[in-house]
Amino acid sequence: MDQLSLETLGRHLQSLRVARGWSLSGLAAAAGVAKSNLSRLEQGNGNPTLDTIWRLAVQLNVPFGNLVAPIRVPVGEEGVQVRLVDQGGDNPRVDAYWMSCAPNTTRMAEGHTPGTVESVTVISGQLEVGVTGQSQHLRAGQSHTFDAEQPHLYRTREAWATLLVTIVYQKDGDES
């Protein structure tokens, strides 16, 4: 992520934290992030992982898309890039993401907030996706919908995979 995007993300994260009455120490502990890492992130430094951003969003009770909405570059790590495409304003809340996974990549995702449902459509390549132990193998044009409050995985084979991911938040969270 470029420096301007890091600074934008950091300021937004800090404003969400303060608006919700979280101390730096309290949010860091609740999200399982070192206080020093959270501090650096809020200052526009560091290189946050997707898991770190997800855990912070969950603790702040905002959809992942709300946390990354101010930045327009993909967020990524270890062969996976994710970019927010659009956010719906209706209830239930729906976020859409473009996702790209490098060959031979496995991404284990933590469960999202209760009631969250995820749908993945493969645009190109092949992918194993779904709740751990109940995943499905998909090819271009195929989709899979699953309970995303459970830990789940995305696993590519020998080629890149490009995906459209939609996340439906069944329970209304604070939407700042």
Side-chain angles (χ1 to χ4, degrees):
M1 191 180 314
D2 63 67
Q3 188 59 41
L4 179 59
S5 296
L6 280 170
E7 291 170 1
T8 301
L9 177 63
R11 283 191 304 273
H12 186 55
L13 175 59
Q14 184 177 42
S15 70
L16 289 171
R17 177 181 60 78
V18 170
R20 284 158 178 72
W22 282 93
S23 69
L24 190 69
S25 298
L27 179 58
V33 176
K35 180 181 172 184
S36 59
N37 289 346
L38 180 56
S39 177
R40 281 195 303 274
L41 181 55
E42 286 189 357
Q43 294 169 13
N45 299 312
N47 190 17
T49 66
L50 289 171
D51 284 335
T52 296
I53 296 170
W54 272 111
R55 286 194 306 264
L56 291 167
V58 167
Q59 292 306 314
L60 290 167
N61 196 30
V62 297
F64 177 83
N66 282 29
L67 198 50
V68 299
I71 59 175
R72 295 291 173 217
V73 298
V75 177
E77 65 183 63
E78 300 174 6
V80 177
Q81 296 285 315
V82 178
R83 182 174 43 85
L84 177 67
V85 174
D86 199 6
Q87 290 184 291
D90 296 329
N91 191 10
R93 176 66 176 268
V94 179
D95 289 352
Y97 300 90
W98 165 89
M99 186 173 183
S100 178
C101 302
N104 302 308
T105 297
T106 299
R107 167 153 171 67
M108 300 301 297
E110 296 179 17
H112 306 319
T113 53
T116 302
V117 175
E118 188 166 321
S119 295
V120 176
T121 299
V122 176
I123 298 169
S124 65
Q126 297 180 31
L127 181 78
E128 177 185 355
V129 64
V131 174
T132 307
Q134 301 173 2
S135 59
Q136 292 190 8
H137 293 275
L138 305 177
R139 295 179 180 270
Q142 295 181 319
S143 301
H144 179 50
T145 300
F146 56 92
D147 174 2
E149 70 181 79
Q150 309 269 340
H152 48 283
L153 67 86
Y154 309 83
R155 180 179 295 137
T156 57
R157 295 180 179 173
E158 32 314 307
W160 283 87
T162 304
L163 327 167
L164 178 61
V165 179
T166 56
I167 299 177
V168 179
Y169 299 92
Q170 296 297 332
K171 294 189 177 186
D172 240 357
D174 207 351
E175 306 219 358
S176 297

